[in-house]
Amino acid sequence: MAAGYPNIDIAPFIDHALLTPTATPEQVDQWCEQADRYNFASVCLYPTYVKQAAEILHGKKPKVCTVIGFPTGATTRSVKLYEALEAVENGATELDVVINLGWLKSGNTEAVHREIAEICEETGQVVKVILETNLLTDAEKKIAADIAMDAGATFLKTNTGWNGGATVADVRLLKDITRERVGIKASGGIRTLNQALDLILAGATRLGTSRGIDLIHQRDNPEKVE
């Protein structure tokens, strides 16, 4: 464990993400095997690979997570709902859904709520609502968080990773807003063990990262952690 930090096993916090546009079936096999070996919370993949991951991880502890409306959140409500339902049919049990940021910023909060609520109700699965906090003011983050919680979200997720990464300040803000009513997933730019631990200590209950194996290696080789 990193010097000066409490003894936290970070592996169960990690959503092992493979969201590069060039991801291959062979990499999906590898990510699933790693998630099982290291006891990660889930693998997080594009919808096209959900069925493959569900077959590999059948009967195993890691969940199959996918992204909906990713990365912009600007697809239509009906398309997002169809994408979510198809993902669940193919074996996904966790859905990371990007909100419509244009609707939020223009004050169309009813549409934002309706979209999230439909996905939560129709799928019946864990829904992590991606707020893309780096593009929002603190006031907008609170509005988005309140909408997502009221609509039935299981987690609030900070970022897609396409517009900057998670910050300790945003995780703390979300913790204050949520008062532990839902989980908090910090995602984007998590590269070091110390960074991961700082986010957990700030209130993150999941970590979305493509560098889960690097974090485990840093955990197991603390003398190399900066």
Side-chain angles (χ1 to χ4, degrees):
M1 184 55 60
Y5 287 89
N7 187 20
I8 299 173
D9 181 7
I10 64 165
F13 286 84
I14 293 174
D15 283 352
H16 196 31
L18 181 61
L19 295 172
T20 173
T22 56
T24 66
E26 291 76 18
Q27 287 177 301
V28 172
D29 287 344
Q30 180 184 12
W31 251 244
C32 290
E33 187 277 328
Q34 290 170 342
D36 183 42
R37 184 197 318 167
Y38 292 106
N39 195 36
F40 291 154
S42 79
V43 290
C44 189
L45 311 152
Y46 282 113
T48 190
Y49 288 126
V50 164
K51 185 174 289 187
Q52 177 185 346
E55 290 172 354
I56 297 169
L57 291 173
H58 179 72
K60 300 182 185 299
K61 190 171 182 179
K63 306 297 185 183
V64 177
C65 172
T66 194
V67 287
I68 305 298
F70 191 88
T72 67
T75 47
T76 65
R77 179 173 57 85
S78 59
V79 167
K80 280 187 186 175
L81 180 59
Y82 179 87
E83 187 177 28
L85 289 169
E86 183 182 48
V88 171
E89 182 179 350
N90 287 336
T93 58
E94 299 194 350
L95 307 169
D96 287 17
V97 182
V98 188
I99 66 167
N100 189 309
L101 293 161
W103 286 350
L104 180 73
K105 284 186 170 288
S106 65
N108 194 357
T109 55
E110 183 178 345
V112 177
H113 184 281
R114 181 182 178 189
E115 179 177 83
I116 298 167
E118 281 189 344
I119 293 172
C120 292
E121 291 168 8
E122 293 291 329
T123 65
Q125 301 298 327
V126 169
V127 173
K128 308 188 200 97
V129 175
I130 305 176
L131 307 181
E132 203 70 306
T133 52
N134 289 335
L135 302 182
L136 303 179
T137 65
D138 282 355
E140 289 169 338
K141 292 168 195 174
K142 185 178 188 311
I143 292 169
D146 286 339
I147 290 170
M149 287 190 291
D150 188 67
T154 318
F155 285 80
L156 302 181
K157 179 176 172 180
T158 60
N159 305 90
T160 61
W162 289 60
N163 295 287
T167 67
V168 166
D170 276 341
V171 171
R172 284 178 178 158
L173 177 63
L174 293 178
K175 184 179 181 182
D176 288 342
I177 294 168
T178 62
R179 298 178 183 177
E180 300 184 351
R181 287 172 287 175
V182 298
I184 298 171
K185 179 175 174 178
S187 184
I190 303 172
R191 296 180 173 85
T192 71
L193 178 61
N194 287 356
Q195 186 182 9
L197 292 170
D198 284 339
L199 291 166
I200 291 171
L201 292 173
T205 55
R206 287 282 186 92
L207 302 173
T209 178
S210 62
R211 297 176 181 265
I213 300 304
D214 290 342
L215 298 181
I216 295 301
H217 288 165
Q218 292 174 45
R219 179 199 68 183
D220 294 342
N221 297 278
E223 69 280 357
K224 297 182 180 179
V225 177
E226 295 180 0

